[in-house]
Amino acid sequence: MGRKLLLEHINVPGINTFEVYRQKGGYASVEKALKTMTPDEVVEEVKKSGLRGRGGAGFPTGMKWSFLAKPEGVPRYLVCNGDESEPGTFKDRFLMTYIPHLLIEGMITSSYALGANTSYIYVRGEMMPQIRILEKAIAEAKANGFLGKNILGSGYDLELYVQPGGGAYICGEETALLESLEGKRGNPRIKPPFPAIAGLYGRPTVVNNVESIAAVVPIVNDGGEEYAKIGIGRSTGTKLISAGGNLAKPGVYEIDLGLPVEEFLYSDEYCGGIANGKRLKAVVAGGSSVPILPANLFLKTINGEGRLMSYESLADGGFVSGSMMGSGGFIAFDEDQCIVRNTWNFARFYHHESCGQCSPCREGTGWMEKVLHRLEHGHGSMSDMDLLVDVSKKIEGNTICPLGDAAAWPVASAIRHFRDEFEWHVSHAGEAVSRNYGIAHY
Ligand code: NAI
Ligand code: SF4
């Protein structure tokens, strides 16, 4: 049975209220940090924990915090990225809905560590229920002395605001998010400078994902070393996985990093296998932005060892036979699913969401969508696959923000691993399209 650091109390009735959350030991990390630790000591615990950013990039959180510029007299900010929009990813929404005070507690403790007196939670605009839930939780925390002036008599002041997002996927990219928070169109900025140097209103800013901020609570309560004991290698702690697609038991699971993939997929504690007794065909392990892998490559690493749910093991083999942990949006495809149709679907999404600032992304995503549309609808040609790979290569690495790569990788990996399926769509043009045709990838 895996540890539950974030979801331990998720099924307790009323855990979304301050009263019940407090009865279950909530806000202890705030008391510990503000009463017994300096801000630098909190940063040190997060560094020791080895926590890596849970939004998708996996950048070490403690290192990001220590990059934060601290010029005298200049305000700095903590911004929580709750814009979760990655297809297949719904774990942050789950946390915000069911245990909002965990996020509020993490925000207070983290803001104290960073010396921020004003912090924001930027929540995807479509998530109005979650925005209301967080606003209520903030009001409760404030009424109980955990926000506002002189929190718990420590002399530390913090105002925390919820900001509805701008309604675009790109607003989840950290610099686009900051533009949006400033009231502008959410266009990504060129990095560097990183937000740690010039972020919100040009001031030093840390942007962290919802789950990363929530993880600060057990790290401060139990100590960074205890947290680092969980997991494997540089993948420490627990991770929330949004499990979806053709699974017997889709949902949000908290796993110890390092859990064998087979156990996650097939044990009753987690996904319970593939729905309706079907066979697994392919997996996207970290949200739509990461490469898709056929089942045989997904279950075993390049050395033939059982793959683990860790940053390193999932990426093993690189683009040839590796996926990525990404945001933890785990999508399983059963034997009946059409890879061409799915790839077209992802391409449509990225074309629609491209902000249009850079030509390779603006033009390339449109081009890929068009070619995939004709393949899927029986008008493609055998040269289209090479054309798609060529376009994806011209996008990759040539754009301002990672949306370009995110659009290119699923297409390139689908053609690398399922080329026969694309070819079938050409050779069987005129027959019913969007049909799985039964070449085994198990
Ligand atoms: P990134 O690797 O550019 O940056 C990671 C973080 O480290 C950023 O906060 C950045 O400011 C910081 N950083 C990196 N180098 C730094 C330096 N030298 N100094 C100071 N700070 C530094 O990746 P990014 O753009 O933050 O995230 C991309 C990932 O986001 C993708 O891999 C994808 O998996 C994920 N994603 C998640 C979504 C979701 O809904 N959860 C949506 C879309 C993408
Ligand atoms: Fe905009 Fe795409 Fe360029 Fe990102 S890569 S800045 S989404 S055009």
Side-chain angles (χ1 to χ4, degrees):
M1 189 83 173
R3 264 153 290 217
K4 300 285 170 269
L5 299 184
L6 305 183
L7 303 187
E8 184 186 358
H9 301 303
I10 200 78
N11 292 322
V12 173
I15 196 67
N16 58 339
T17 62
F18 179 87
E19 197 187 352
V20 175
Y21 183 74
R22 192 85 174 111
Q23 279 163 14
K24 288 288 167 190
Y27 289 96
S29 78
V30 176
E31 289 178 314
K32 183 174 176 183
L34 270 60
K35 290 183 177 168
T36 69
M37 297 169 81
T38 64
D40 284 349
E41 283 169 348
V42 181
V43 175
E44 203 45 45
E45 289 307 316
V46 174
K47 274 192 189 161
K48 278 191 216 159
S49 74
L51 175 69
R52 291 168 68 173
R54 302 303 197 216
F59 192 84
T61 306
M63 192 187 292
K64 193 194 277 192
W65 284 16
S66 61
F67 286 160
L68 186 70
K70 295 178 178 165
E72 196 63 30
V74 176
R76 39 189 184 269
Y77 299 105
L78 171 63
V79 176
C80 174
N81 186 345
D83 197 61
E84 184 175 62
S85 312
E86 182 80 339
T89 312
F90 42 88
K91 50 146 188 118
D92 294 338
R93 184 179 56 184
F94 184 83
L95 268 187
M96 291 188 280
T97 308
Y98 296 109
I99 188 155
H101 283 283
L102 184 67
L103 176 59
I104 309 301
E105 177 177 358
M107 283 299 288
I108 300 167
T109 305
S110 304
S111 300
Y112 170 73
L114 298 168
N117 298 110
T118 307
S119 296
Y120 298 90
I121 306 175
Y122 184 98
V123 182
R124 181 177 170 178
E126 289 88 340
M127 296 191 201
M128 277 323 282
Q130 287 70 24
I131 289 167
R132 300 272 177 267
I133 289 168
L134 288 173
E135 281 171 343
K136 179 170 173 279
I138 287 173
E140 285 177 330
K142 196 163 189 177
N144 285 280
F146 283 90
L147 279 169
K149 296 256 176 250
N150 193 21
I151 298 171
L152 305 180
S154 65
Y156 174 63
D157 306 334
L158 176 65
E159 292 300 334
L160 180 56
Y161 301 99
V162 181
Q163 172 65 38
Y169 171 72
I170 199 57
C171 289
E173 194 282 331
E174 61 175 3
T175 58
L177 185 157
L178 295 174
E179 288 283 300
S180 170
L181 198 47
E182 289 177 10
K184 296 181 246 166
R185 181 188 157 109
N187 279 355
R189 301 172 182 166
I190 291 174
K191 295 192 278 189
F194 288 95
I197 308 298
L200 187 63
Y201 307 116
R203 304 278 166 75
T205 303
V206 163
V207 184
N208 280 145
N209 169 260
V210 168
E211 184 187 347
S212 309
I213 296 280
V216 170
V217 172
I219 288 169
V220 169
N221 281 338
D222 305 336
E225 278 172 15
E226 278 305 304
Y227 188 86
K229 284 181 190 161
I230 307 168
I232 183 162
R234 290 177 51 244
S235 299
T236 59
T238 65
K239 171 90 191 82
L240 296 183
I241 305 290
S242 325
N246 306 115
L247 294 165
K249 290 167 54 191
V252 175
Y253 294 101
E254 182 169 10
I255 61 160
D256 284 11
L257 283 168
L259 178 78
V261 155
E262 291 223 41
E263 190 179 334
F264 179 65
L265 256 170
Y266 293 107
S267 79
D268 279 340
E269 189 183 344
Y270 300 106
C271 305
I274 309 306
N276 305 316
K278 303 258 182 199
R279 288 203 288 181
L280 179 68
K281 176 174 182 176
V283 174
V284 169
S288 63
S289 303
V290 310
I292 184 167
L293 280 189
N296 56 351
L297 287 183
F298 182 70
L299 294 171
K300 301 263 180 257
T301 65
I302 199 157
N303 297 324
E305 291 158 5
R307 209 180 277 279
L308 308 177
M309 299 287 282
S310 76
Y311 291 93
E312 291 73 25
S313 183
L314 283 174
D316 183 71
F319 203 71
V320 178
S321 65
S323 185
M324 279 156 83
M325 183 98 225
S327 54
F330 189 97
I331 311 170
F333 298 85
D334 74 18
E335 55 194 296
D336 292 340
Q337 304 310 313
C338 173
I339 298 299
V340 178
R341 187 171 184 81
N342 178 67
T343 311
W344 168 51
N345 195 27
F346 281 177
R348 258 192 324 171
F349 173 79
Y350 286 112
H351 179 212
H352 183 260
E353 298 298 335
S354 166
C355 82
Q357 271 193 107
C358 15
S359 333
C361 172
R362 183 185 62 239
E363 303 301 325
T365 53
W367 203 350
M368 290 197 302
E369 186 201 338
K370 219 180 281 178
V371 175
L372 283 159
H373 179 275
R374 71 175 176 236
L375 278 165
E376 165 64 5
H377 292 85
H379 308 295
S381 68
M382 285 297 178
S383 59
D384 278 347
M385 281 65 89
D386 289 340
L387 177 61
L388 282 169
V389 172
D390 189 44
V391 175
S392 76
K393 278 193 184 141
K394 291 200 165 84
I395 300 174
E396 189 184 348
N398 294 317
T399 56
I400 293 174
C401 90
L403 188 143
D405 291 347
W409 289 339
V411 174
S413 59
I415 293 175
R416 176 185 283 275
H417 297 301
F418 298 95
R419 196 176 186 107
D420 46 3
E421 199 159 325
F422 285 83
E423 288 172 354
W424 186 93
H425 275 68
V426 177
S427 60
H428 289 68
E431 292 184 23
V433 285
S434 181
R435 217 177 55 193
N436 175 36
Y437 65 128
I439 291 184
H441 290 279
Y442 316 115

